[in-house]
Amino acid sequence: REEEEGDAQLPEPDSGGGVKESEAHDLHAPEIRVLGPVEVDGVATSGHGPRIAQLAALLYFRPGRSADALCNDMDPLAPWSLNTLNSRLRGLRSALGNDPAGKPYVPRRRTGDDPYRLSPAVRCDWTRFLQLAERALPQGPAGLPDLEKALGLVRGRPFGSRPLPWAGPFQQEMITRIVDVAH
């Protein structure tokens, strides 16, 4: 089901966009960084790159959305057309490339009913932050190195200074957890 605005849930360390602990070890898989301005491995920081990076973050945090939902989420005031969405998805697919088995990190949809999503191998700094923090916190002072690593992933305000509306609830939760870990 598509999540309503108020239902947004943060991916847990073992489910960030479908990444399971056993699959998260493909260190060649592209990484989405949201603990600061949104950046994605292989995606340019100019031209359409920033919007393509935001689309990758949207697909990671809210997989399985319809084309209409993605178009609205990417620009609520002037929703993208289906052509724009498809063009940006092609750009993202090209930038991220394929996994070692030759499967694209942005899977092609076979039918109109197939969900828009990323490969479960795609990594995210937020998922890594949660993994480090959750491993470290129960250890008390012995967990300090992992807490420092987690905080070292933070490059600025999550999702940057002007996140898209869909990212607002995620940004607030991230800020809260970062502050908790810093404490």
Side-chain angles (χ1 to χ4, degrees):
R1 81 173 171 87
E2 287 183 16
E3 295 179 11
E4 300 299 321
E5 265 315 292
D7 291 353
Q9 301 236 347
L10 288 172
E12 291 303 316
D14 63 344
S15 65
V19 177
K20 304 234 181 325
E21 182 71 32
S22 61
E23 296 171 314
H25 298 296
D26 178 1
L27 298 179
H28 300 290
E31 181 180 52
I32 298 169
R33 289 176 297 285
V34 297
L35 296 176
V38 179
E39 297 176 349
V40 179
D41 291 342
V43 174
T45 57
S46 61
H48 293 300
R51 297 298 276 170
I52 290 172
Q54 291 172 337
L55 176 61
L58 173 59
L59 290 170
Y60 184 86
F61 283 92
R62 300 183 85 184
R65 311 224 1 116
S66 69
D68 285 343
L70 290 174
C71 290
N72 284 317
D73 284 343
M74 288 305 299
D75 192 339
L77 299 177
W80 283 5
S81 68
L82 187 56
N83 286 340
T84 299
L85 175 63
N86 287 330
S87 174
R88 301 300 174 265
L89 283 167
R90 279 191 302 276
L92 181 60
R93 186 175 296 114
S94 174
L96 298 188
N98 297 333
D99 67 17
K103 295 179 184 171
Y105 286 114
V106 181
R108 286 180 170 69
R109 297 168 61 236
R110 297 195 194 294
T111 71
D113 293 333
D114 287 349
Y116 289 89
R117 62 184 179 81
L118 298 174
S119 162
V122 173
R123 301 172 297 133
C124 182
D125 60 352
W126 174 241
T127 301
R128 182 74 179 132
F129 179 94
L130 290 175
Q131 289 168 336
L132 288 164
E134 289 178 10
R135 182 172 69 201
L137 289 172
Q139 296 179 27
L144 214 50
D146 279 343
L147 291 179
E148 289 171 347
K149 285 181 195 171
L151 290 173
L153 295 172
V154 180
R155 300 173 290 110
R157 187 174 183 85
F159 291 98
S161 58
R162 295 178 51 199
L164 291 172
W166 70 264
F170 294 103
Q171 182 188 54
Q172 290 305 313
E173 179 64 22
M174 289 175 186
I175 291 169
T176 300
R177 292 208 186 176
I178 291 166
V179 168
D180 288 347
V181 167
H183 253 262

